[in-house]
Each structure stands twice: as structure tokens, then as C-alpha cells.
Amino acid sequence: MDPIGRRPVAIKLPLQPARAESTPAAVTASAAQALGHTQKSGFSALGAKAALTTQAAQGTWRGPADSEVGKAINVMLERLKGCDIKIKGDTPESLFRRAILDNKHVTNEQLLAMSKVTLDQLDSGPKTREQVLKKIPNARELPVHKFTVALMSAATGIDAQKLSEACPDLGMTGAPGTPLLYAAKTERMQRSTALHDFTDYLRGAGIKGLNKAVWGVEDRILSAAVSALGGGRY
């Protein structure tokens, strides 16, 4: 869900590294960004900072483990280990792997651009925050919100607490300022909303083509409809 009036901010995408045929190599992943918090938003359930781990490179068809995209992917995956909330059988990590990393419509340039998105580019603004919290006062406490924040925080490196405070609408179905704004009851709708918010907020931050890569159409409203109907290219 993209707040009405959000203006895309252009991001200069780096060139996509050439694909390389390589076998997974052991790499040392960076320490995961902490997703645990102790304030009112309820992120304390996400746990403490993950320890350093040694693991095989992920998504090796995208590039070698020591390439820019290989390093970025492993950092994202390490951050995702901090959240084990499940919606419709998926954790943020399993959904990110299936819908984003394993999706050949999502480019390496788009993955690298995600890692450079800032909080200012995603901030919903005071008017939207007021509208959301007036209609859904406990929005920040809902599992679907925490799930969506975990996805976005892992991909961008933005602190989860700050992201939750700035964007309480993450994971809410519909659009602020319209009659259609609610916290979905079914897990199927919660999962599709979480993924659509992930792709559409990043579209609003300037990452062109991400909605189309996942939903088959780029338009905010049409892609939301595809999501709600259970469609997608993943």
C-alpha cells in the first residue's frame, strides 16, 4: 500500500554485475542489524542481534559471493534471521527468498538499489500516520506490521523501530485517507499485503519495475488488485 501522493525519488542504479558460474563459497556474513526493540511498538519479540555466522553464498546465479550483489544478499538474509513471525507458513526470510531472490524478474540492480533506500524516502508523513492510527490504533502491534517491517528493514538496513514509527501503515490493507483501510483478518491477505507493501513502497522510493517483477504490472492499484486476488510471478 502506497500512501496517496507519494512521489517517487529517483535512484541511480549501479550496473548489474556479469553472471558467473561458480560454486557456493564460504563467506563470513556481517552481524545482523538488530530487529529487537523495547519500546511500545512491540519489536522486543524480534530478539537480540544475531551472531556472526559462516555460511554458503546465497543466490549464486546472481553473482559470486564476493561480488557487490553477493555481499548485499547475504547481509539481507542475515538480518532476516532476526524475525521468526510466520504468516500463512512463511517467515519474512522464506517469502523474501521465494518472491524476491529466486524471482528472475527481479534484477541485481534492483536488489542493490534496495540496500541504498533511506528512511526519508519511505516515511509516510504525519498526516498518514494520524489517519492510520486513528482507524487502527494498534497497527504497530500487529504481526503483519512487524512481518512487513522486518522485510523492509532487512532489505534496506533501516532500523526496524524507526521504520515502524515512521510507517505504521506498513502491512495495513487499503490506503490511508480512503474508506478502504483495515488490518486484514486472513493470513492469505496479510501475506499478500505484506509483500505488496514491500514492493510498492520501494517503487515509491524510486525502484522502477519492482511491482511488475513480482505482480506482473507496475501500477500501484492494479498490482494491489493482483496481490489481493492471489496472483504474482513467484
Side-chain angles (χ1 to χ4, degrees):
M1 174 193 61
D2 183 17
I4 295 174
R6 180 184 297 282
R7 296 183 178 177
V9 178
I11 291 180
K12 187 175 181 181
L13 300 178
L15 293 177
Q16 181 168 350
R19 293 182 181 178
E21 295 294 332
S22 61
T23 57
V27 296
T28 301
S30 65
Q33 177 175 321
L35 290 182
H37 299 278
T38 58
Q39 297 183 12
K40 290 184 179 180
S41 61
F43 279 91
S44 56
L46 298 183
K49 183 181 292 185
L52 287 171
T53 61
T54 301
Q55 61 181 29
Q58 305 294 335
T60 52
W61 65 270
R62 291 186 174 277
D66 60 353
S67 67
E68 186 180 9
V69 71
K71 292 175 182 178
I73 287 170
N74 278 280
V75 168
M76 291 174 183
L77 290 174
E78 190 62 30
R79 291 178 185 137
L80 283 165
K81 295 181 186 301
C83 181
D84 58 3
I85 297 172
K86 279 191 176 182
I87 295 179
K88 195 66 176 174
D90 271 308
T91 62
E93 180 182 359
S94 67
L95 186 60
F96 184 76
R97 284 179 183 272
R98 186 172 77 257
I100 305 299
L101 290 187
D102 295 340
N103 185 342
K104 294 192 176 183
H105 299 289
V106 176
T107 67
N108 285 358
E109 290 96 336
Q110 288 169 330
L111 285 169
L112 290 170
M114 291 177 197
S115 68
K116 296 175 174 62
V117 169
T118 67
L119 182 60
D120 286 344
Q121 291 172 281
L122 296 174
D123 195 328
S124 297
K127 183 176 180 180
T128 292
R129 285 193 288 271
E130 181 181 358
Q131 291 170 336
V132 172
L133 296 175
K134 182 177 180 180
K135 197 158 189 179
I136 313 170
N138 66 332
R140 292 189 180 104
E141 304 300 326
L142 298 176
V144 66
H145 173 73
K146 297 177 184 180
F147 186 103
T148 312
V149 167
L151 273 175
M152 190 69 77
S153 176
T156 63
I158 299 169
D159 178 77
Q161 176 70 30
K162 292 179 181 178
L163 192 55
S164 178
E165 291 296 328
C167 307
D169 42 332
L170 278 172
M172 303 303 107
T173 303
T178 73
L180 185 64
L181 177 66
Y182 64 98
K185 299 296 183 183
T186 69
E187 289 198 347
R188 186 194 69 78
M189 182 60 78
Q190 289 174 7
R191 184 176 63 183
S192 69
T193 297
L195 183 57
H196 184 261
D197 275 8
F198 177 80
T199 62
D200 196 57
Y201 269 63
L202 290 174
R203 177 203 60 81
I207 304 181
K208 304 297 184 183
L210 193 57
N211 270 347
K212 187 173 183 180
V214 176
W215 307 110
V217 288
E218 182 69 0
D219 180 78
R220 174 177 61 90
I221 296 174
L222 291 178
S223 59
V226 172
S227 168
L229 291 171
R233 307 166 78 180
Y234 64 95

